[in-house]
Amino acid sequence: MPCDITGITWEGLENSHGIQWPYPEGREDENREEQRRLYEDGRFFTPSKKAQFIFEDVRENPLPVNEEFPYVLNTGRGSVGQWHTQSRTKEVKFVEDVSLKKAYVYMNTKLAQEMGIREMDEIRVFSVNGQNALFAVKLTDNVQYGELYAPIHYIECNKLTPSVYDTYSKEPSYKATPVRFEKRQSPQ
């Protein structure tokens, strides 16, 4: 198995820098080197032991923008300190100190101006998947007109992405989600 960890013991983990898998039982001696690299021997977990590359034509987005959802929400990393959904990095004081506490989305300066939205105004973003969430707006010219960009580190972002998966890897598609948004009205 490519992810075989049957040779890893608690004692082996103590005072180590971790143990790289695969680490099958009975082959511990040949796997002791700390800087092993997966596939450095040129052998892959396929019948021929050779890498197999799969190429296809680029597919159209299964969820294109439309009249009701005319904008694209892209997602990705927000900062060097945050990782994934803050499940661990939220516990690191430095990361918490330098990260925005509330979910935010980047919006193109021209689009924001046309919509009457200023820096740190709040908008409600509605996704084609039927969910919506509240975000503070950060203005930038680094995002294309007609697109929003939100860091994946906030649950608000992730609830807007639909359940679309890659055919081969089953990796979720967190990109190119059709959305619409409304400026949040200030309480009177």
Side-chain angles (χ1 to χ4, degrees):
M1 290 189 323
C3 55
D4 187 344
I5 59 171
T6 55
I8 297 176
T9 64
W10 182 259
E11 294 76 24
L13 287 170
E14 289 179 329
N15 300 315
S16 76
H17 292 100
I19 297 175
Q20 182 179 339
W21 60 269
Y23 201 87
E25 189 172 28
R27 294 180 53 199
E28 296 87 353
D29 287 341
E30 65 188 82
N31 291 322
R32 289 221 187 276
E33 192 177 326
E34 276 191 33
Q35 294 299 315
R36 290 184 303 122
R37 298 285 183 257
L38 194 57
Y39 311 120
E40 72 182 346
D41 61 359
R43 295 172 55 117
F44 293 80
F45 297 101
T46 61
S48 68
K49 302 295 183 207
K50 294 183 178 186
Q52 295 177 355
F53 295 96
I54 300 170
F55 297 95
E56 287 188 350
D57 292 334
V58 176
R59 296 182 197 169
E60 291 294 317
N61 186 342
L63 300 170
V65 295
N66 57 42
E67 199 171 304
E68 184 180 3
F69 298 97
Y71 305 103
V72 173
L73 173 69
N74 283 316
T75 69
R77 297 246 181 267
S79 74
V80 72
Q82 291 174 312
W83 200 255
H84 301 303
T85 58
Q86 295 185 22
S87 59
R88 293 285 183 215
T89 55
K90 192 169 184 64
E91 299 172 17
V92 178
K93 184 171 177 20
F94 167 76
V95 174
E96 268 299 282
D97 290 347
V98 299
S99 301
L100 284 179
K101 304 299 181 248
K102 66 190 313 185
Y104 61 95
V105 65
Y106 287 102
M107 181 183 291
N108 179 277
T109 307
K110 183 177 181 200
L111 177 61
Q113 185 178 26
E114 289 175 8
M115 302 300 276
I117 296 172
R118 295 177 299 185
E119 183 83 14
M120 297 309 286
D121 278 353
E122 289 187 333
I123 62 170
R124 183 161 300 279
V125 179
F126 298 86
S127 171
V128 71
N129 74 353
Q131 298 291 317
N132 68 81
L134 198 60
F135 293 86
V137 175
K138 295 181 87 173
L139 304 180
T140 183
D141 290 324
N142 294 330
V143 172
Q144 291 187 20
Y145 183 92
E147 293 187 6
L148 304 175
Y149 179 87
I152 62 172
H153 317 296
Y154 301 93
I155 192 69
E156 291 86 349
C157 172
N158 291 310
K159 73 187 275 190
L160 299 179
T161 58
S163 295
V164 176
Y165 298 87
D166 176 76
T167 306
Y168 302 103
S169 69
K170 306 302 182 215
E171 182 76 20
S173 173
Y174 296 124
K175 301 285 187 183
T177 303
V179 296
R180 66 181 168 85
F181 61 87
E182 297 173 358
K183 183 176 177 181
R184 183 174 186 209
Q185 302 302 318
S186 300
Q188 304 281 344

